[in-house]
């Protein structure tokens, strides 16, 4: 096996190559041609989009089949970032890239210089040289995270879509870099559409081995109301904990390709907001609660007053017999709750417009119907994009809903757990901000759906 230094390269054998970065990291990859730019957002492989032709991402492991890359692709650049967005790379062990060939044969390893202020580090590139392929060690990074990385490779870092300027206009492409802020690891396979809401089933769920009492005691100390067990959430938690324990690995997505959010909606629980603690190690309810209180983001989730119901489970297994916990917190979906959430998004959007001296947007029921349908469709058909699998785009959806607005624009986002969080995220992105502050827009519709890969899917559809 070769130990690479920055700039060093090594010829690769034929067949698939596996790149792994063990530790608390997220791995990403960008597929480019010789110009070093992507063709479209489908060339960016990361936690919310874990596959592309010739590449497949599973946690910290990227499998590359160079012969199956999309036509014209000549390079796969591998990057790493902290799995916990609040932790700097400088606060983690130095990442080590391991490259193996067919059958797991070790090929190369690269330990870059210890990161400083960088939030994302380029580790290596797999590139074509003549008729063969090589791997080259890199080791430089970006202080502004995945956004800076993606921009340099030609990805438009907005979930929003600039306005279509009318029937003769064209809407430019705008992709999908939104990491779930409170979610832990990554995405999963397709899930069923969320079922209709309804009264939660609060009976028939055991006390989850005494955890509920410790949880509610802590919530009371934090000034939050108690949560009650819901049998559907308990069922989802049990399945997720057991699958994590069997693999000896924590994750929002387990190795069977199912996310905790998919388990929740498949169990029959449609939610308005959701949170989770996926933990290994604690052996008692008190230890679990102490673990959940160890930092501010985790504490906020445990004490969030919005949550009404819980699903709690633990399972032991894996190579070391560790105890794996799945704690799910949720508030059920209701028509009134959905309407309030949409109103909150509109109110916060109009507050930003007022600060810019712009008139408020009016709620449009036709745009609302189209936006809600798109959010639900992204969950049901397991995609995250402005262009749906059937080829429909924002203007098509608005027209199908009966809207005759001449100008249409769209913002989308996934993973945010509140109206305030999603609007703030949009305002922090130039493309989204431009849509929100576009003077030509006069009306808006908002859609929200829970489930799927990221847990929550948001749509703003603008018209003017």
């Amino acid at each position: 096996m070769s130990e690479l230094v920055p700039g060093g390269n090594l010829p690769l054998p034929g067949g698939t190559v596996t790149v792994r970065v063990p530790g608390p990291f997220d791995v990403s990859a960008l597929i480019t041609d010789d110009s070093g730019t992507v063709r479209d957002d489908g060339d960016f492989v990361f936690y919310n989009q874990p596959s592309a032709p010739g590449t497949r991402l599973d946690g910290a492991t990227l499998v590359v089949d160079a012969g199956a890359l999309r036509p014209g692709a000549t390079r796969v650049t591998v990057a790493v970032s902290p799995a916990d967005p609040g932790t700097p790379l400088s606060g983690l062990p130095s990442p080590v890239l391991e490259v193996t060939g067919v059958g797991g044969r070790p090929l190369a390893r690269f330990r870059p210089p210890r990161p400083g202020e960088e939030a994302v580090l380029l580790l290596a590139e797999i590139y074509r040289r003549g008729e063969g392929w090589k791997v080259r060690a890199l080791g430089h990074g970006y202080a502004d995270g995945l956004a800076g990385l993606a921009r340099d490779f030609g990805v438009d870092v907005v979930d929003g879509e600039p306005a279509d300027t009318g029937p003769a206009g064209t809407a430019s492409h705008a992709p999908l870099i939104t990491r779930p802020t409170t979610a832990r690891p990554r995405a999963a396979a397709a899930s069923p559409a969320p079922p209709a809401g309804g009264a939660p089933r609060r009976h028939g769920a055991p006390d989850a081995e005494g955890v509920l009492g410790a949880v509610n005691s802590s919530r009371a100390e934090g000034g939050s109301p108690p949560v009650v067990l819901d049998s559907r959430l308990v069922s989802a938690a049990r399945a997720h904990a057991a699958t994590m324990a069997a693999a000896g690995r924590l994750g929002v997505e387990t190795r069977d390709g199912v996310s905790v959010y998919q388990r929740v909606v498949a169990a029959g629980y449609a939610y308005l907001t959701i949170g989770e603690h996926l933990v290994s190690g604690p052996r008692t309810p008190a230890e679990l609660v102490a673990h959940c209180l160890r930092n501010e983001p985790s504490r906020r989730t445990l004490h969030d007053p919005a949550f009404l119901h819980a699903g709690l489970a633990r399972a032991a297994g894996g190579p070391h017999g560790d105890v794996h916990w799945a704690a799910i917190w949720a508030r059920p979906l209701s028509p009134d709750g959905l309407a309030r959430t949409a109103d909150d998004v509109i109110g916060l959007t109009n507050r930003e417009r007022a600060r810019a001296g712009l008139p408020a947007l009016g709620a449009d029921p036709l745009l609302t119907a189209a936006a809600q349908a798109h959010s639900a469709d992204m969950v049901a058909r397991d995609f995250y994009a402005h262009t749906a699998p059937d080829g429909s785009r924002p203007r098509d959806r608005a027209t199908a809903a009966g809207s005759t607005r001449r100008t249409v624009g769209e913002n989308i986002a996934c993973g945010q757990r509140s109206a305030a969080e999603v609007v703030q995220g949009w305002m922090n992105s130039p493309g989204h901000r431009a849509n929100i502050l576009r003077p030509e827009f006069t009306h808006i519709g908002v859609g929200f759906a829970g489930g799927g890969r990221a847990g929550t899917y948001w749509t703003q559809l603008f018209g003017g």
Side-chain angles (χ1 to χ4, degrees), residues 412-427:
I412 59 174
C414 66
Q416 295 82 2
R417 305 302 173 90
S418 69
E421 188 180 331
V422 74
V423 173
Q424 185 60 53
W426 280 328
M427 288 300 294

Side-chain angles (χ1 to χ4, degrees), residues 348-364:
L348 291 166
T349 298
N350 281 333
R351 185 177 69 180
E352 298 295 341
R353 287 178 64 89
R355 287 174 176 171
L358 296 170
L361 301 172
D364 183 315

Side-chain angles (χ1 to χ4, degrees), residues 338-339 341-347 349-350 353 360-375 378 394 397-398 401 403 405 407-413 422-423 426 435-436 441-449 457-464:
L338 183 61
T341 297
D343 287 345
D344 288 345
V345 171
I346 294 173
T349 298
N350 281 333
R353 287 178 64 89
L361 301 172
D364 183 315
L366 300 179
L367 294 178
T368 297
Q372 182 60 37
H374 189 54
S375 288
M378 287 191 287
R397 294 189 285 272
S403 174
R405 303 281 175 193
T407 305
V408 172
E410 183 178 82
N411 287 344
I412 59 174
V422 74
V423 173
W426 280 328
N435 272 346
I436 287 173
F441 289 144
T442 58
H443 289 80
I444 185 174
V446 173
F448 167 87
Y457 291 79
W458 305 80
T459 303
Q460 280 183 318
L461 193 58
F462 304 92

Side-chain angles (χ1 to χ4, degrees), residues 225-396:
V227 291
V228 298
L229 290 174
D230 183 279
S231 60
R232 296 163 293 182
L233 296 181
V234 170
S235 175
R238 284 176 173 168
H240 206 74
T243 308
M244 290 191 302
R249 174 185 172 190
L250 295 173
V252 164
E253 177 190 2
T254 49
R255 286 186 175 177
D256 58 1
V258 182
S259 76
V260 67
Y261 317 117
Q262 292 170 298
R263 296 190 200 279
V264 168
V265 296
Y269 190 103
Y271 56 83
L272 188 62
T273 188
I274 195 167
E276 70 284 332
H277 287 96
L278 307 176
V279 178
S280 66
R283 302 236 168 220
T284 67
E287 289 178 3
L288 173 66
V289 171
H291 186 95
C292 295
L293 294 173
R294 66 190 174 95
N295 59 52
E296 185 56 30
S298 182
R299 184 183 302 110
R300 282 201 304 269
T301 298
L302 185 68
H303 289 170
D304 193 331
F307 297 138
L308 301 178
H309 305 131
L312 304 162
R314 68 179 180 181
H320 305 294
D322 291 337
V323 176
H324 290 69
W325 298 82
I328 304 171
W329 325 99
R331 184 181 191 93
L333 181 69
S334 67
D336 288 346
L338 183 61
R340 283 194 302 271
T341 297
D343 287 345
D344 288 345
V345 171
I346 294 173
L348 291 166
T349 298
N350 281 333
R351 185 177 69 180
E352 298 295 341
R353 287 178 64 89
R355 287 174 176 171
L358 296 170
L361 301 172
D364 183 315
L366 300 179
L367 294 178
T368 297
Q372 182 60 37
H374 189 54
S375 288
D377 192 29
M378 287 191 287
V379 171
R381 290 201 278 179
D382 187 34
F383 73 97
Y384 178 60
H386 297 291
T387 302
D390 60 8
S392 62
R393 295 177 62 83
R395 172 164 294 282
D396 302 321

